[in-house]
Amino acid sequence: MSLDFTEQLASELNLEIGQVKRTIDLLEDGNTIPFIARYRKEVTGKLDEVQLRELKDRFEYLKELEDRKETVINAIAEQDKLTTELEDKIEQATKLQEVEDLYRPYKQKRRTRANKAKKKGLKPVAEFLLNQEQNIDSLQEFAQKFLNPEEEIETVEDVLAGARDIIAAKVAHDPQSRKLARKITFRDGKLVTKAKVEESTDYDVYYDYQSSIDKVKPHQTLAINRGEAEDVLQVKVKTKDGKIISRLENRFIAAEFKFTKQIKKAIQDGYDRLLFPAIEREVRSKLTEEAEEHAIDVFAENLNNLLLQSPLPDKKVVAIDPGFRTGCKVAAIDQVGDVLDTTVIYPHNSQEGWKTAKEELEQLIGEYNINIACIGNGTACRETEKLLAELISEVEQKLEYVIVDEAGASIYSASAVAREEFPDLDVAMRGAVSIGRRLQDPLAELVKIEPEHLGIGMYQHDISSSDLNEALETVVESVVNYVGVDLNTASKSLLEHVAGLSSSVAQKIVDYRSENGKFKDRQEVKDVYGVGPKTFTQAAGFLRIRDGLNLLDKTPIHPESYDLAKKLLNKIGHDINSLQSDDEMMDLKKQLKSLDIKKLAQNLEAGYPTLKDIKDALLKPGRDPREDLPKPIFRDDILEMDDLEPGQIVYGTVKNVVDFGAFVDIGVKEDGLVHISELSEEYVKDPLDFVAIGDIIKVKILEIDKQRKRIALSKDF
């Protein structure tokens, strides 16, 4: 790695040079970010995943910048136009945009007006005007020397027009011209939109809209882009043209030159025809890029919170995928998500069907001793909810229910993953199973579905799919490795997100497990074809075995640190068997809490961060970090819109967070909106600073619009 890169990265990110170098070495050696963040803290100086990704992204940008500089310098040199001054400017550029601006005048362009004029021999006229030579008294006489009917240059005006085309291109492609036009436009320009249709649409608010460029909000940019794409809106950038042209004239014209009129006309043309359209594209591109980055960040944060929703372990569930004509698909699933029984009920077709449906549900629930039901929130959800509420009031057995967001369930049901998991179930019944599993373990089930289908983003279908997928894959990878996966129950879809495991290796692990039974310890993973020493090192700490031969296998302690963990236990009179005895665990926890880890790290010649992580893992062996998060709200009755009134206080679950607020499920069919202005008594810049998907919050009903089916809420402070 270039020493200059190291110093630059250290300076930009406020890190030590050695810290940067060691971290880049780890990354270039093929180590994954989750592994580095969790198990190489001594090497990186405890950089977290966010810092590591920032360092990696910036390093890759600098490499791309250096590569582009080399390409541009070589391309200009091949034209014999590279000067020492130009090469120095390119070498000193710190942004790709600066390099492209410097290269623009030397790019091989197609049949432009300026190129045509040059081919016709009019370059000397343009140079005379640009150089503003004083040795010619008559421009007309000078121009006549370049008349050439064979090249369609028949008049003096033809000569001057061609010269102006060359000057216009020179002005438009000049790096300083672009820099000043860009600066003024971004600082003083406005984005203006007008309606192209007369009828009302979703874009009414933009029918006569304008905003300073730096004040346009990301969600507005994406809405405007969509309205333009649908041919509803006309979008323009307006800027201080006169100010820019005046500055360009000052740059290219000397006050005493006789023929400034020709240069001014060329500058005006170059600005109108070439420079401003390019800057306008830059403005739109930058606004879109920033809006997409923001939308991706919001989506990623929402996805992170969705995947980290609290699981419901060791509970049997009856799951219902509701429907009218085709009936409600019902699946009873056991504690680990295996299907116990399935049926289809038809409660919404007749009174007799309603009665029969209740009887079938009661029998299913009683047979498998189930206390929890869940209903997908799709078509016929609230009608099916009434059925369950009525059943609960009639049976002695304790039964509660929860509504589960089924976004993406239909995508999963028809997928190859679902067909492989449930080859004997039809598509609709797979959806019911998925709904139940989402309640039991949201992470394990939701990783099977492409994130853009989970209903938690905003304008995600308008965003570059490659950028979105890359960002969301990062989130999934981070969450999966933060939580860890059970090696003996994890699906291929979950395993392939573990650090170091490819999709093919994940499948081989599943195949090995089905052929040889449960894994007994982490070391056995090495027997799987494709799991070499490096793969094992990257993945092992994130794989858990609950009831294996080695009790440390249920912790996030990496196998490379098992000896250190045993030394720590021995220092306080324990061994790993203490992890399975309740009485010994109580004593172990007491001693661990009082342990001076810094002092012990010195005695054991171990890294303090690693030893501290071992201590934390031993305090809560086998603990799922999601356990501390809010549990779903279970109900045994039903709320209707008619049950609500302004001023009423209720609890709800945050379902989605967007730029303008948060949507909250309060138990009725329609989610309510807590507008950004109602999230806190403080000023709220970003709703995600105050709420997250899965949060259980107390809200006050502000307004109920039954006709438009909208509920306005305020977070109860």
Side-chain angles (χ1 to χ4, degrees), residues 180-386:
L180 76 86
R182 183 183 296 120
K183 180 179 179 181
I184 292 172
T185 302
F186 275 97
R187 185 186 65 202
D188 302 328
K190 294 182 182 297
L191 187 71
V192 180
T193 65
K194 299 287 184 184
K196 294 179 70 174
V197 297
E198 294 183 0
E199 66 271 15
S200 178
T201 68
D202 291 339
Y203 310 102
D204 287 0
V205 69
Y206 301 110
Y207 277 12
D208 188 14
Y209 166 89
Q210 71 172 16
S211 171
S212 298
I213 289 169
D214 61 350
K215 297 286 193 249
V216 181
K217 296 177 180 177
H219 70 274
Q220 293 173 323
T221 297
L222 295 175
I224 287 169
N225 288 353
R226 181 183 287 182
E228 183 181 38
E230 294 176 10
D231 207 29
V232 175
L233 300 176
Q234 180 185 62
V235 187
K236 291 185 177 296
V237 172
K238 289 190 176 180
T239 187
K240 294 185 176 180
D241 299 329
K243 185 175 183 179
I244 296 172
I245 289 170
S246 177
R247 295 278 297 275
L248 291 174
E249 288 177 351
N250 290 338
R251 173 167 169 70
F252 287 96
I253 300 176
E256 67 277 6
F257 187 55
K258 304 174 190 176
F259 310 119
T260 58
K261 182 179 178 182
Q262 294 297 325
I263 306 177
K264 285 183 177 181
K265 287 178 69 174
I267 289 173
Q268 183 74 55
D269 176 56
Y271 176 76
D272 292 341
R273 182 168 54 85
L274 302 172
L275 182 53
F276 175 72
I279 297 300
E280 184 177 39
R281 288 192 296 272
E282 278 190 32
V283 169
R284 297 293 306 280
S285 178
K286 184 171 177 59
L287 285 175
T288 298
E289 180 182 338
E290 290 176 347
E292 289 188 352
E293 286 179 0
H294 176 76
I296 288 172
D297 288 345
V298 171
F299 197 121
E301 184 69 20
N302 281 336
L303 178 62
N304 181 79
N305 295 324
L306 179 68
L307 296 178
L308 281 174
Q309 286 184 107
S310 181
L312 195 69
D314 304 320
K315 298 287 186 182
K316 289 185 283 188
V317 173
V318 61
I320 306 174
D321 185 1
F324 286 119
R325 183 179 58 81
T326 57
C328 300
K329 288 72 182 174
V330 183
I333 56 180
D334 67 13
Q335 294 91 330
V336 294
D338 290 336
V339 178
L340 296 169
D341 205 346
T342 63
T343 188
V344 181
I345 57 176
Y346 299 88
H348 310 305
N349 294 355
S350 65
Q351 286 187 334
E352 184 62 31
W354 184 273
K355 179 182 176 183
T356 303
K358 281 199 300 182
E359 291 172 352
E360 290 186 45
L361 281 177
E362 182 178 359
Q363 180 180 350
L364 193 66
I365 289 165
E367 181 178 352
Y368 295 104
N369 193 27
I370 295 174
N371 302 113
I372 295 173
C374 61
I375 310 169
N377 68 339
T379 303
C381 167
R382 294 305 173 180
E383 292 78 6
T384 307
E385 186 181 5
K386 290 178 182 177

Side-chain angles (χ1 to χ4, degrees), residues 448-467:
K448 302 172 185 175
I449 302 166
E450 293 179 0
E452 59 264 38
H453 298 302
L454 293 177
I456 54 168
M458 186 177 177
Y459 297 106
Q460 59 263 35
H461 299 296
D462 299 328
I463 299 170
S464 163
S465 59
S466 60
D467 291 344

Side-chain angles (χ1 to χ4, degrees), residues 8-219:
Q8 186 173 343
L9 288 166
S11 175
E12 288 182 4
L13 304 177
N14 195 26
L15 300 173
E16 296 175 3
I17 291 177
Q19 186 180 22
V20 170
K21 186 178 189 314
R22 292 191 300 271
T23 303
I24 293 296
D25 287 344
L26 283 172
L27 289 167
E28 295 207 300
D29 196 36
N31 292 285
T32 63
I33 284 180
F35 173 79
I36 295 171
R38 182 67 178 79
Y39 298 112
R40 291 297 180 264
K41 292 179 180 178
E42 283 87 358
V43 179
T44 69
K46 297 196 292 187
L47 296 181
D48 61 27
E49 282 196 37
V50 174
Q51 292 171 304
L52 288 168
R53 293 190 193 283
E54 184 180 13
L55 174 58
K56 180 174 181 284
D57 290 345
R58 186 59 184 156
F59 175 60
E60 290 177 349
Y61 179 88
L62 291 177
K63 287 199 298 184
E64 182 184 357
L65 179 63
E66 287 301 305
D67 290 344
R68 186 57 180 160
K69 286 179 183 179
E70 183 179 353
T71 299
V72 166
I73 288 171
N74 290 337
I76 298 174
E78 287 175 2
Q79 301 176 39
D80 292 326
K81 296 178 180 178
L82 184 66
T83 64
T84 302
E85 181 185 6
L86 178 58
E87 186 172 7
D88 287 344
K89 285 182 179 179
I90 295 171
E91 289 287 7
Q92 291 167 16
T94 58
K95 297 179 180 178
L96 283 167
Q97 180 68 65
E98 295 174 17
V99 176
E100 296 305 326
D101 281 353
L102 290 166
Y103 181 42
R104 187 173 299 277
Y106 305 95
K107 277 187 175 178
Q108 297 300 310
K109 302 174 183 68
R110 294 184 178 180
R111 292 177 58 82
T112 65
R113 282 165 51 171
N115 281 345
K116 290 177 183 177
K118 288 177 183 177
K119 287 182 179 180
K120 292 178 180 181
L122 300 179
K123 187 175 180 182
V125 184
E127 289 177 341
F128 160 72
L129 291 170
L130 277 173
N131 294 335
Q132 294 163 63
E133 300 170 10
Q134 303 293 340
N135 57 345
I136 294 177
D137 294 324
S138 172
L139 187 59
Q140 295 284 330
E141 292 179 6
F142 178 70
Q144 285 179 350
K145 299 176 183 178
F146 296 89
L147 295 177
N148 185 351
E150 292 183 5
E151 292 287 352
E152 298 181 350
I153 305 175
E154 299 176 348
T155 67
V156 167
E157 178 53 31
D158 290 341
V159 174
L160 296 178
R164 290 196 301 269
D165 286 342
I166 296 171
I167 295 170
K170 170 78 173 176
V171 170
H173 298 309
D174 175 66
Q176 291 302 314
S177 297
R178 300 182 78 85
K179 185 175 181 180
L180 76 86
R182 183 183 296 120
K183 180 179 179 181
I184 292 172
T185 302
F186 275 97
R187 185 186 65 202
D188 302 328
K190 294 182 182 297
L191 187 71
V192 180
T193 65
K194 299 287 184 184
K196 294 179 70 174
V197 297
E198 294 183 0
E199 66 271 15
S200 178
T201 68
D202 291 339
Y203 310 102
D204 287 0
V205 69
Y206 301 110
Y207 277 12
D208 188 14
Y209 166 89
Q210 71 172 16
S211 171
S212 298
I213 289 169
D214 61 350
K215 297 286 193 249
V216 181
K217 296 177 180 177
H219 70 274

Side-chain angles (χ1 to χ4, degrees), residues 591-636:
Q591 293 192 54
L592 284 171
K593 288 177 181 177
S594 62
L595 200 58
D596 186 341
I597 289 294
K598 285 189 176 180
K599 184 177 179 180
L600 185 59
Q602 292 176 346
N603 292 339
L604 295 177
E605 297 181 346
Y608 167 70
T610 295
L611 199 61
K612 184 179 182 300
D613 285 346
I614 291 172
K615 171 193 167 183
D616 293 342
L618 292 174
L619 280 168
K620 297 179 179 179
R623 172 184 173 273
D624 188 325
R626 298 172 294 171
E627 291 175 6
D628 297 334
L629 297 170
K631 300 292 188 290
I633 297 178
F634 290 98
R635 307 180 186 278
D636 55 15

